Amino acid sequence: MAGPIRMLLVGAPGGEFRLAAELARDAGAEAAMADGPAEALALLRESGCDLVMFDVGLDIVGFLERLRAERFIVPVLGCGVDAPAERAVAAIRAGARDYVPLPPQRELIAAAIASVVARRVPRGLGEHPALMRATELAVAVAPSGAPVLVTGEKGTGKEVMARAIHAASGRPDPLLVVECSGVAAEVLESELFGHEEGAFPGAIARRLGRLEKAGEGTVLLREVGAVAPATQAKLLGVLQEQRFRRVGGAELVPFRARIIASTGMDLETRVAEGAFRADLLARLGFARIEVPPLRARGDDIALLAQHFAERMAVSDGLPFRPLSDAALALLRRYSWPGNVRELEDAVHRAVLLARGARIEPEDLVLIDGSRIAERDAGEGASRLQVENLVGRTVEEVERELILQTLERCHGNRTSASSILGISVRTMRNKLKSFVEAGIAVSPAA
């Protein structure tokens, strides 16, 4: 399984940063420190990390530019003690994910780490026969070391299967995840294969790619259907020859890891359209595992919902409220187009918003602000019932959801933004618009 989150703190090695490192370790992360951009870049080139906290009193804008030039993909949080507002704004405009004030607060450090974990930790479990058959196949092919293609709709838990395969394979850690969708071809190639010094403008040092860093572990290519044709050819070469060259290099590097690919695309259709190589599909699909959609998994919906309610209550420090029979019946009727991920998010909102002893139907809110109880289950939950929304605008419904979520998160914008599925920047802009409209916003927000 994947190791702990690796966090890099960049700033003067004083008490505030030392405390932030201690809080990060308390939250289960590994924490390293660098006193400036040069040392931070050297550490990133050597071993990488999952999250950077950078003092805005230093040249964070230049640091972010260097990350882009060297094609690093890592979230950066600006931080500082009584830093001028313009520095925090400049950091965010330059690409920082958010700004965290110092002295560090335990809940903010934990929330930042949790946001990274949420992108990396596998989701989902269940007992439906279709899911169990898929899991049994995953375990059966795991020891072979052959490539595996995991397919299924978005949010079904394809990464769960990939991690199950890695866990059952007997291969050592790590399992490294490479996001192939929404990434420029040249950036993806550098991420996969690494590059040599001088390979492109900005490549001032050699960088090892994920295929090399994985050693004898596993590389998961998430949404492989989005890979550009030229990169597809190079991946095919890796699978055929078990070796590759870094970008701009001549040396052949041996490849010892195992490749697992996942996709929600119909790759046969992509092949017919000329967008995906048939020979690469044949190699990746040596063993295929399809994860069934949540709507086809019957009682797994209730099983998962209760599991998420228990887990979220513990993680948010709230009393556990089980789902009522009426709420569970409602969840079973809904079609869950977003699958397990959508169910998890809906239950998380309910854990935060519920007031009674149990989670009731009216507590189950979707990302668009509507309640599941207002959906017409008889038509596959595709038509919004409007009886309870007459006289209310979309803006009013959105505002109520944002403010209630912030209240239950004790004003923590990072946690509330994660639950609502929006960026912290969007949250900040929404709150500003509320204040400008004369709407009261809690000082904690």
Side-chain angles (χ1 to χ4, degrees):
M1 301 299 288
I5 295 297
R6 294 168 300 161
M7 189 171 180
L8 176 61
L9 299 101
V10 186
E16 305 297 357
F17 272 84
R18 188 175 297 109
L19 176 58
E22 292 174 359
L23 293 177
R25 295 184 184 106
D26 289 345
E30 294 179 352
M33 300 186 69
D35 60 10
E39 184 180 355
L41 286 167
L43 288 171
L44 283 170
R45 294 178 192 126
E46 179 181 351
S47 57
C49 76
D50 300 300
L51 179 66
V52 175
M53 280 187 64
F54 196 103
D55 187 350
V56 296
L58 301 174
D59 184 12
I60 187 171
V61 174
F63 177 74
L64 289 163
E65 290 174 350
R66 287 302 324 158
L67 291 185
R68 285 190 289 272
E70 297 193 38
R71 300 175 183 173
F72 283 103
I73 303 174
V74 58
V76 177
L77 301 177
C79 61
V81 180
D82 297 326
E86 58 268 21
R87 288 188 179 177
V89 171
I92 292 174
R93 286 177 175 171
R97 187 70 58 85
D98 199 359
Y99 176 79
V100 177
L102 297 178
Q105 299 178 39
R106 183 179 301 275
E107 61 271 20
L108 291 183
I109 297 294
I113 293 171
S115 69
V116 178
V117 172
R119 293 193 298 272
R120 194 173 83 164
V121 173
R123 306 164 184 250
L125 72 167
E127 298 177 355
H128 189 270
L131 182 65
M132 295 304 294
R133 286 193 295 271
T135 304
E136 289 168 2
L137 178 57
V139 174
V141 302
S144 69
V148 179
L149 179 62
V150 184
T151 63
E153 295 178 8
K154 182 178 180 180
T156 51
K158 295 184 290 294
E159 193 168 327
V160 173
M161 288 299 172
R163 293 182 181 276
I165 293 166
H166 175 67
S169 68
R171 286 180 172 268
D173 285 336
L175 183 151
L176 298 181
V177 180
V178 180
E179 180 60 63
C180 301
S181 178
V183 180
E186 60 272 16
V187 176
L188 180 59
E189 288 198 6
S190 178
E191 188 75 7
L192 285 169
F193 306 111
H195 60 249
E196 297 288 355
E197 179 180 351
F200 50 83
I204 62 174
R206 170 187 283 181
R207 180 189 175 193
L208 304 186
R210 296 298 182 96
L211 298 181
E212 192 168 353
K213 286 182 179 179
E216 297 183 357
T218 301
V219 177
L220 171 60
L221 305 178
R222 185 186 286 156
E223 199 43 77
V224 72
V227 174
T231 309
Q232 291 177 32
K234 293 183 178 181
L235 281 174
L236 179 64
V238 172
L239 292 171
Q240 290 176 334
E241 305 297 332
Q242 295 293 295
R243 54 186 183 176
F244 61 92
R245 289 183 174 89
R246 303 185 192 97
V247 175
E251 176 189 357
L252 284 170
V253 180
F255 176 67
R256 301 185 299 276
R258 195 243 197 96
I259 285 184
I260 301 174
S262 68
T263 185
M265 299 182 183
D266 183 342
L267 292 186
E268 277 74 16
T269 298
R270 297 275 290 170
V271 169
E273 295 170 347
F276 202 83
R277 296 179 63 110
D279 47 3
L280 178 58
L281 176 57
R283 285 276 182 174
L284 291 174
F286 175 84
R288 286 200 190 195
I289 298 170
E290 182 175 1
V291 184
L294 184 58
R295 61 182 174 274
R297 288 166 51 185
D299 289 341
D300 275 1
I301 294 173
L303 177 69
L304 284 163
Q306 293 286 28
H307 166 74
F308 291 144
E310 293 177 16
R311 195 185 76 188
M312 298 303 181
V314 172
S315 65
D316 290 333
L318 297 171
F320 169 58
R321 293 179 173 90
L323 286 99
S324 69
D325 290 342
L328 290 172
L330 183 66
L331 295 180
R332 289 189 185 97
R333 291 198 302 270
Y334 183 55
S335 64
W336 298 110
N339 290 292
V340 177
R341 189 173 299 129
E342 185 183 21
L343 173 64
E344 182 179 21
D345 290 344
V347 173
H348 196 176
R349 293 186 196 96
V351 167
L352 291 169
L353 300 176
R355 301 295 186 183
R358 293 179 177 271
I359 293 173
E360 300 293 347
E362 58 268 23
D363 300 318
L364 295 166
V365 181
L366 297 173
I367 189 65
D368 63 1
S370 63
R371 288 180 168 84
I372 299 177
E374 297 161 354
R375 299 276 181 166
D376 186 353
E379 294 185 8
S382 62
R383 182 169 59 85
L384 179 64
Q385 294 181 338
V386 298
E387 293 91 288
N388 296 327
L389 299 177
V390 172
R392 304 183 68 192
T393 65
V394 172
E395 289 78 9
E396 289 172 337
V397 174
E398 178 189 62
R399 181 172 65 243
E400 180 181 345
L401 179 60
I402 289 174
L403 293 178
Q404 286 187 21
T405 304
L406 265 173
E407 180 185 351
R408 294 307 299 269
C409 290
H410 307 292
N412 188 319
R413 298 185 188 184
T414 302
S415 295
S417 299
S418 176
I419 292 165
L420 293 168
I422 61 177
S423 68
V424 176
R425 186 181 305 178
T426 298
M427 171 71 77
R428 184 168 50 248
N429 291 338
K430 292 289 185 183
L431 294 175
K432 180 181 178 182
S433 70
F434 297 164
V435 172
E436 291 173 348
I439 297 163
V441 175
S442 169

